Amino acid sequence: MNKKNIPLMTILLALFALVGFNGIENHDYPAPKNTPVFTKVVYQGNDQVYKDYPLEADEFYNPILQGCYPDPAITRKGDDYYLVCSSFAMFPGVPIFHSKDLVNWTQIGHVLDRVSQLDVHDTGISQGVYAPGITYNPNNDTFYMITTAFAGGAGNIVVKTKDPKAGWSDPYHLKFNGIDPSLFFDDDGKAYVVHNDAPDEGKELYSGHRVIKIWEYDVEKDQVISGTDKIIVDGGVDLADKPIWIEAPHIYKKDGKYYLMCAEGGTGGWHSEVIFISDSPTGPFVPAPSNPILTQRYFPKERENKVDWAGHADLVLGPDDKYYGVFLAVRPNEENRVNTGRETFILPVDWSGTFPVFENGLIPMEPKLKMPEGVENKMGQEGFFPNGNFTYTENFSSEKLDYRWIGLRGPREAFMKQTKKGLEITPFDTHIEELKPTSTLFYRQQHDSFSFTTTLEYQPKSETDLAGVTAFQNEGSNYVFGVTKKGDDYFLVLEKNARPNRRGGTVSEIIASEKVDLKAPIHLQIKANGDKYEFAYSADGTEFTTVGGVVSGDILSTDVAGGFTGALLGLYATKANDIVPQ
């Protein structure tokens, strides 16, 4: 996935906040409308690793994109670098970032930001769009984004633009199966698509056996050329070793040779990056004798500040004429959970010999890197994306909502509204467990230890009304913490939704409920310290009361919940509430 905001709250609401701090009664507080209004969000990250490893002047932190920003791909035009990531059923889709130096990144939007480009309205969160590839074609001065859309019958698609900051075309639907496509434009003007696919029918040798195919691509028609498909890698580096899930291929040309780089080993603990060489873009491709060129799979499980699952990479020539590789990896918490999801990392690449090798990519990775010469670290400043420990405050007062805020299965604009009071969320007749668009505005969890605090103005009218916050891994694995009504009373409820196994139905458990006074805005908070999560509320925004005690974050990790996303923190409202306070 990722991913500006909404008009200023009124002076009156600011006064309410001050009144709450000073303990003065709100005699003139007007009764809120039934539409929930969120007036402020503060996200604060507090990971120990960043305290233990403070930055020197010439250093920056890795990952460069914290939270669920997996499957990165990168391209360059002149001094401009563009990076995209997977977004699955999040909407808008395929977050796109821009940089001049590979250190400081600005999110400039999303590639698939219209329903005409992306139809995920009835799709599980880990479906949708996978593994985008972005490539600049100097032959026609055009950028291409190619991806697989597991929704709406789209299949493999490509969109294009002359300027990534100005929006992208509607999709061209490509006539081939398989996943993880990328484009390669040769010096002679010819173009090719490479992708992961199943072996020819009847030739699958074992579970996880896949192949890499190549097609010639017609740039005028934006379509593969029928009959040109060819298998260029069967199984992986060595078929005798039964390698699994050769995927995410990219072709590069250097010194007259063609290089094919792929992920191998699946996206979990055996993940790696491997490289092949050929005299032709259509092969035959010969594996390097020193594969893999990137992996974290060989090291002790309990190592400090562990980075794992490294792979799914892409290469680019940096501003210092040195190669760099972006790739996904995870940073598990103390219970080996991956609640922050698969994140985007970067490493310098040594390509002084025949084959590229990720520098320090074959030893346990460190949390920080040396910056390219002449680069200043501005992350978190001047509009650049933050990393390390940081505080992000959203007052919903800007003209446009920040790109970090996303919807699920449909546009955010369908349920949110800019008002002088704050962000209104009009509740849908769907709840968090349904495979339909939900009226939820999400922010990615970016730290193991964090707090996510919001202010809510709301008085539900009935038992089917609820608004609050959610910690969300998928439609069957999440926590809901919000206010609803029972009889004449208002209640704050905490519900856990989980699947005993990934194929079974969701089991809902009300962990706690508590009667509350909603005459004034209520402050809701999600906080975590590794695998330990707490949900709390406050009347004044200072003293918080935990509801339901400490709960496990296990269901917010893919190793328990399945799927491919990291945990999301959401502002949630529904008219289909089925949580009954105890």
Side-chain angles (χ1 to χ4, degrees), residues 68 90 125 338-342 472-473 556 558 564-568:
C68 181
M90 304 169 200
I125 190 173
V338 289
N339 297 34
T340 49
R342 299 175 301 155
F472 186 90
Q473 168 56 228
L556 304 178
T558 57
F564 302 105
T565 63
L568 303 177

Side-chain angles (χ1 to χ4, degrees), residues 20 93 219 235 245 264 274 326 442 445 475 493 496 513:
V219 176
W245 285 100
E264 188 183 276
V274 296
V326 293
F442 287 108
Q445 179 182 330
E475 48 278 353
V493 293
K496 175 183 179 180
S513 61

Side-chain angles (χ1 to χ4, degrees), residues 25 70 141 148 289 315-316 398-399 456 465 553 567:
E25 287 186 72
D141 188 29
T148 309
L315 303 179
V316 71
S398 297
E399 183 178 343
L456 171 65
D465 294 327

